[in-house]
Each structure stands twice: as C-alpha cells, then as structure tokens.
Amino acid sequence: MKRRTQLAGLLALPMFWLVGIYIFSLIMLLATAFWTTDPFTSKVKPGFTLRNFEQLIVNPAYLSTAVRTLLIALAVTALCMLISVPLGIFMAKIAKPWLRGLLAVAITLPLWAGYLVKILAMRVTFTDEGFFNWALGPFGITGPSFSVTTVILTLTYLWLPYMAIPVYTAIRQLPANLFDASADLGAGAWRTIRTIVLPLIKPAIIAGSIFTFSLSLGDYIAAKFVGGSTQMIGSIIASNINLNPPVAAAFAVVPIAFVVVYLLSVQRTGALERM
Amino acid sequence: MSSPIAATMASTTAAGDVSLTGVTKTFGDMTAVRDLDLNVPQGEFLSMLGPSGSGKTTVLRMIAGFEDTTSGSIRIGGEDLTRVPPHQRPVNTVFQDYALFPHLTIAENVAYGLRVRGQSKSDRSDAVSSAIAQVRLEHVSSRLPHQLSGGQRQRIALARALILRPRVLLLDEPLGALDKQLREEMQIELKSIQREVGITFIFVTHDQEEALTLSDRVAVFNNGRIEQIGTAREVYEYPQTEFVARFLGLSNIIPARTVEQLTGQARVVSVRPERVRLLTDADATSGNDIVLAGTVAEIVYTGPTTRVLVDTADGLRLITETQNSHHPAADVEVRRGDRVRVAWTDDHSATLP
C-alpha cells in the first residue's frame, strides 16, 4: 500500500502533464479539425465535416504550400547532414583538442541565443543592403535576398546543432582502430567514410534528421522575416488561427502526418532499433 | 641458429624483407622509439617483446603506416615506404581487439580488402570462402562480429588480413584478450598458418612465454630501444642485460662482489633457477661449479616444478627450480630453515655488463 502511494506521488505531476495537457490538447486539436465555423460570426461549432481537409487538397495555394514546406524541410535536413558529417569527422578525428573545443562552442553557440535574435541576424545578413551583398557585391555576386533559399539557410542555421552534435558524438565513439583497419585493408579516406563511417553513424544522422525535419516543418517565423513572399504551412495556420480555427487545425495535422510517414520509412530500414 | 634464416639473410633482398634504419619517433617531448635499426628477413617470425610503453607497438604502427616516423626510414622488399600511406603498403595488420567492422557480416569483413581493390562479388566469393575455411569458421560467415566468441573473432581478423596476401603480416598483441587455454591453441594455429603461407610475421607481445614459443627470433624492447635480439634460446639463455634477464622468466642476478669472492673475477652474472642445483651433503661438485651456502627460506610447489628459495649469508636470495620427477607422493627433501648448499656450473650462467 505504501509503495502505491509512493508511486502515485512520483508520477502524479508527470502523468498530469503528459495526459492532461500534452495528449489532451493534441486530441482537441485533431477534433477541431473536423468542426465547422460560422461564416458570419467566426464562431467554432462542434460537428463533423471533412471540408477542412478537402480544402487542403482542393485549394491550390494550400497544396503548393504543403509541398513547398515539405521540400524546405527536406532541403534543410540534407544541408544539415552535408555540414555535420565532414565537420564531425574533422572534430572527432583530426582537430587538436583546443580546436575541437572551439568548434563545439561554435556549434552550440546558436542554441544559447534567442530564436528571434538568430532570425534577425540572418535578416540583417541577407537584406538587400546587408552584409552578404556588401561583401560579395564587388565580385558581381548578389545574395538570395528574402526568398525560399534564405528560409532554407536560416532554418539550417537554427537547427544545425541538433544534427551536428549527435553526429559528432557518434563519430567520436567509433573505435579508432576501425579507421586503421580500413586503411590497412587498402581503403582511402573517402572509401572509409562511405563504407565504414556513414553506415555506423546512420542512427545518429536519423536522430538528428528527426529534429531538423520536424522543426523545419513547424516553423513560420523564418518565412515571415526572411522569406519575402514565401509561405509555409505555419504561415497559413497562423493566419487562420483566429478566422477559421478548424482549417488551421486541419493544416496542423499535415506536418504531423509528414513526420509519421518519415518515421515509418526510417523504421523500415531498421535504424530506429539501434538508436 | 636455424638455417632457413641464415640462408635468406645471405641472399639478395626478398619481397618480404623488412628493414628499419635509424627510426626515431617522438610524441611531443616523449621519445617512444629512439634510433632503431631492425632487419627482418622474408619468412621470419619475429616477436617484439617488452613491457607496455617500451615502444614495440609504436614500431609496429610505423611499419603499418599508422604513425609517421620522426626520422629514419622503413623499407619493405628494398622499397622505401617511409612516406607511403597505410592503404598503399603491402602489409596487413591483425589488431589487438580485432577491429572487425561491426555492421558487416563475417564474410563481408573478410571480403572488405578485395572489395576495396575493386574485385567483383563473384570473383571474390571463392577467395573469401577459402580464407574463412582456412581458419575453420565456415559456419559463421553470415553472422555479425558481435555474435562470435573472442577466439572466433581473432581468427576472422587473421583471415581478413591474410586474404590480401600481404608481404608482411603485423600482429598487435592478437592473443592478449583470450584466456590461457585458447591462447595456447591459437599460438599453435598461428605458427602453422605462418609456415603454410610463408610470409614474414611481426608479432607484438608482452608475454615472454608466447614470444619464446612462437618466434624464430625475439627482439626485447625497453625504453624505445631493442635491448637484445636473437633466437629464443639466445635471449633466454644468454641475456646481455639485466633487463633482458629479468624480463624473460625468473633469473638469479649475482652481484659482482659475490662472483669475485667465488671466482676471482668481478662480473655480474645471471643464472636461471632451473640451472641452480640444490645439493645434499652427499652430492659432489666439480671444479667448474660455483657453490654457495645458505638457508631455505621458502618452498613453492608450482605443479611441474618445485622452487626452493635460499637466503645466503651475504643477503642474497637465490631461486632454484627442480622438475618434479620424483614419486608424486614424496616431498622435497628439504624443509624451511634447513642449511643447504646450492651450485651451478659456471658456463651455465650469462655474464651481464
């Protein structure tokens, strides 16, 4: 009996949080997606309709925004991988301890600064009279201005630590003699990275990609401040949140669906069990 | 001296000859290997023996190419490889903890080197199965390394290195992680594989018994130098330094003062316990014998032998070791505290500098 009381004491707050706040609010969101809105008063009326989901497919602007958001999230994830793997190899296997420490700080630094601060930093860099054009303009290079490209760069800037840290840690944990053994058996550096390093750090890359992918899908502030006219799923949710909550809710289901599909496809490769 | 070595040494450079000239390696201000010369003729089984930190593993890693030399040169088959990266050297390595690739099956591990060389799957499959058969592990080829025992992983590491037909095989304490019985089995297997393939083996170990049993020659390392190099018999019976005498098995080091009293010559000698006889009153001694009197301090039964520790009047503790060839039930004739004499024949001892 005493054990039960102790257990209840231990779990009361976490369970209230998980079930009462976290799961319940998600279920409410899902439920709202099937409700309707009074077109005159904008009042939400409980009921059951699939019209909100129909909108996502029928409305070309909605559909293209969903596709664009998916492509942006994939591009951010790919870019984070392309940066993290070579960086992780350099930090874990080549860099001297002082340089490794310096790079670790450089990677985690963006985590310490506020989210809006970083977006504004990118805005200052890429605005027409900004640093990028000022520095490279004399060479005839003009920046991407505020566009999809800048959104991808900004999101990469925001989420890189979530990929770079697990990838670096995984490479650090690879036994040094696997590198020696691969070279000993005739493999050059590139071969070793492809056939030994990448397969062994796949779980870390996938762990990181879940963050970069899902965080990118959910973001809209970057699109708002550095995207010019770029719209993402989040932009549409934000503009409907007061006018038409059921449409916003239906659209909110889309990123969740993307992440679920992503997790399922990753699971098929067997990488999740080793995480 | 075994004749095949002498024969190859006399001939011109063979493909598997390894030659290190004036090799030095420093890590920061620590010198791991200093001005080392070493010649290993084709087909020899050479052991590099020494305590940890003596430089033996660094020498092996420099031959493999994993470490640069600070100065000096490394040649294999007459070709200067000092600045050649590891993946282009005609040597392969069996690593201390095997270094099998954990995500590849046993067959894929063994095939790795051939795959890197661009051999197609069908071309390499025969070579892979015969390499796995050579170490008698056909039944595990589709498993992953973590599903194998230590001894099996060890043999796969050997197969993976030998499939490339290296001119020289480097072995970095390959048996260190195995238990005693398995280690002895693997020693026999290693020796027979080496005879079969006939390539140069350079074997690093800190286990003196292993070095003596396996090798054509043993190089004893200490402080980044080779203290002595020679056949097992030479380094064991005729140690040239006190370090070698002490590192290879038990040894009685007799100080010059004592030797001078006994023979008139002031020199330090080393004499192995099994060469020291425990005398009873009836035992006669010859003119060549050096005889000391003392008291039995300890009697140690080791199974095959019995060690009797004798303290002499001038504070020396001598170890004698005798085979237990008498009737198993009979005790050794001496007891602790007995006054005894011990003797050895002068030319059974080695003079140390």
Side-chain angles (χ1 to χ4, degrees):
Chain A
M1 197 59 209
K2 192 168 167 253
R3 273 189 70 85
R4 284 199 163 191
T5 325
Q6 282 180 330
L7 209 60
L10 188 70
L11 289 178
L13 186 60
M15 285 320 278
F16 170 72
W17 178 261
L18 272 177
V19 180
I21 307 280
Y22 195 73
I23 310 248
F24 180 75
S25 59
L26 268 178
I27 289 173
M28 282 312 291
L29 173 82
L30 272 176
T32 315
F34 297 99
W35 294 355
T36 52
T37 323
D38 187 307
F40 296 108
T41 60
S42 285
K43 258 205 157 148
V44 177
K45 289 187 294 185
F48 182 83
T49 175
L50 289 173
R51 287 233 14 229
N52 302 318
F53 288 100
E54 197 187 300
Q55 284 282 307
L56 304 184
I57 299 159
V58 175
N59 186 330
Y62 285 0
L63 185 65
S64 65
T65 301
V67 172
R68 183 184 314 114
T69 306
L70 177 66
L71 292 178
I72 288 174
L74 289 173
V76 169
T77 301
L79 203 53
C80 285
M81 281 184 207
L82 283 177
I83 297 170
S84 298
V85 173
L87 185 65
I89 291 172
F90 177 76
M91 281 174 69
K93 296 293 163 191
I94 301 167
K96 295 246 172 4
W98 67 268
L99 185 56
R100 182 185 302 147
L102 200 70
L103 286 169
V105 171
I107 290 171
T108 44
L109 203 60
L111 288 179
W112 305 347
Y115 171 81
L116 270 177
V117 174
K118 284 175 279 185
I119 289 181
L120 289 178
M122 289 301 272
R123 192 178 159 87
V124 170
T125 304
F126 286 104
T127 188
D128 283 343
E129 298 81 35
F131 175 77
F132 192 93
N133 285 347
W134 173 80
L136 294 176
F139 303 100
I141 301 168
T142 45
S145 190
F146 293 151
S147 62
V148 175
T149 311
T150 312
V151 172
I152 292 171
L153 292 176
T154 303
L155 292 175
T156 304
Y157 173 46
L158 288 173
W159 313 138
L160 180 69
Y162 297 96
M163 176 75 83
I165 293 168
V167 165
Y168 160 68
T169 311
I171 297 171
R172 191 88 207 266
Q173 283 167 353
L174 293 178
N177 65 13
L178 293 185
F179 290 79
D180 286 346
S182 181
D184 190 70
L185 294 165
W190 173 236
R191 182 90 192 200
T192 301
I193 291 171
R194 209 154 37 94
T195 53
I196 306 299
V197 178
L198 285 180
L200 287 174
I201 63 167
K202 202 162 107 187
I205 293 180
I206 287 170
S209 73
I210 291 170
F211 285 108
T212 57
F213 184 68
S214 60
L215 289 171
S216 300
L217 285 177
D219 195 86
Y220 78 104
I221 305 281
K224 186 168 177 181
F225 286 106
V226 298
S229 60
T230 309
Q231 294 250 304
M232 290 181 71
I233 291 176
S235 327
I236 290 173
I237 295 174
S239 58
N240 277 299
I241 217 155
N242 288 319
L243 283 175
N244 196 341
V247 166
F251 227 149
V253 173
V254 176
I256 298 175
F258 283 157
V259 172
V260 169
V261 169
Y262 181 68
L263 286 178
L264 289 176
S265 61
V266 164
Q267 194 200 18
R268 281 173 53 124
T269 68
L272 289 183
E273 288 93 76
R274 278 184 282 159
M275 260 168 67
Chain B
M1 274 290 286
S2 47
S3 51
I5 299 163
T8 37
M9 284 221 275
S11 71
T12 51
T13 311
D17 288 356
V18 180
S19 151
L20 279 69
T21 317
V23 169
T24 296
K25 175 69 184 176
T26 56
F27 295 102
D29 45 9
M30 203 270 285
T31 305
V33 176
R34 43 188 104 215
D35 196 23
L36 182 114
D37 293 319
L38 176 65
N39 287 294
V40 190
Q42 153 104 43
E44 183 174 85
F45 197 128
L46 175 88
S47 286
M48 302 200 287
L49 174 70
S52 55
S54 60
K56 57 193 194 305
T57 298
T58 307
V59 170
L60 193 86
R61 291 178 59 80
M62 286 193 286
I63 300 173
F66 304 139
E67 304 285 354
D68 289 332
T69 56
T70 306
S71 63
S73 76
I74 295 172
R75 292 167 173 276
I76 293 175
E79 205 180 323
D80 191 342
L81 298 177
T82 317
R83 295 282 167 255
V84 174
H87 68 278
Q88 287 164 3
R89 296 192 184 199
V91 302
N92 288 111
T93 307
V94 177
F95 293 86
Q96 186 166 17
D97 39 11
Y98 326 128
L100 297 180
F101 304 123
H103 61 301
L104 300 180
T105 65
I106 294 312
E108 286 166 345
N109 262 282
V110 174
Y112 188 79
L114 296 178
R115 190 173 131 204
V116 168
R117 285 185 185 176
Q119 271 196 24
S120 73
K121 205 163 190 165
S122 55
D123 282 350
R124 62 185 188 239
S125 74
D126 280 351
V128 170
S129 22
S130 73
I132 298 177
Q134 188 177 25
V135 294
R136 296 176 284 114
L137 284 173
E138 298 91 327
H139 57 289
V140 303
S141 48
S142 56
R143 293 192 203 159
L144 288 170
H146 73 88
Q147 296 168 307
L148 266 59
S149 71
Q152 289 174 326
R153 273 182 255 179
Q154 174 53 61
R155 273 142 66 186
I156 291 305
L158 190 64
R160 184 179 70 171
L162 283 174
I163 197 172
L164 295 175
R165 314 213 162 281
R167 290 198 235 154
V168 179
L169 187 74
L170 306 171
L171 303 104
D172 184 9
E173 307 217 16
L175 310 181
L178 306 179
D179 60 45
K180 192 169 158 54
Q181 200 184 341
L182 196 55
R183 200 160 66 219
E184 282 167 5
E185 277 174 39
M186 279 301 298
Q187 286 172 4
I188 295 166
E189 192 161 330
L190 261 185
K191 190 73 194 161
S192 79
I193 286 176
Q194 195 253 346
R195 252 195 304 271
E196 205 176 305
V197 297
I199 60 177
T200 315
F201 273 39
I202 299 181
F203 184 93
V204 162
T205 180
H206 63 261
D207 180 332
Q208 45 106 3
E209 199 183 310
E210 194 165 275
L212 295 178
T213 343
L214 285 173
S215 336
D216 296 318
R217 282 195 307 160
V218 179
V220 185
F221 277 71
N222 186 30
N223 281 328
R225 295 174 198 277
I226 295 179
E227 289 261 333
Q228 189 174 350
I229 183 165
T231 63
R233 188 182 293 269
E234 282 165 1
V235 292
Y236 183 76
E237 301 290 356
Y238 302 106
Q240 285 164 2
T241 66
E242 184 173 336
F243 176 83
V244 175
R246 288 195 189 280
F247 194 74
L248 284 152
L250 288 170
S251 193
N252 294 298
I253 310 285
I254 321 285
R257 174 172 48 83
T258 312
V259 180
E260 190 173 18
Q261 283 167 16
L262 296 166
T263 65
Q265 297 160 296
R267 57 193 168 98
V268 183
V269 302
S270 152
V271 55
R272 297 291 180 191
E274 65 274 19
R275 308 234 167 242
V276 180
R277 307 191 304 277
L278 196 64
L279 300 180
T280 59
D281 289 338
D283 286 330
T285 56
S286 79
N288 259 340
D289 281 352
I290 294 173
V291 187
L292 276 170
T295 316
V296 174
E298 207 67 68
I299 300 167
V300 185
Y301 176 77
T302 71
T305 67
T306 300
R307 284 182 199 143
V308 177
L309 279 55
V310 176
D311 287 343
T312 68
D314 48 354
L316 214 58
R317 173 165 284 191
L318 291 170
I319 311 167
T320 78
E321 187 164 23
T322 34
Q323 287 292 325
N324 290 331
S325 51
H326 52 270
H327 188 280
D331 281 332
V332 209
E333 300 126 18
V334 293
R335 290 168 194 285
R336 283 183 56 195
D338 281 0
R339 295 283 302 163
V340 291
R341 289 182 304 149
V342 293
W344 68 89
T345 309
D346 194 17
D347 57 8
H348 286 186
S349 66
T351 300
L352 302 176

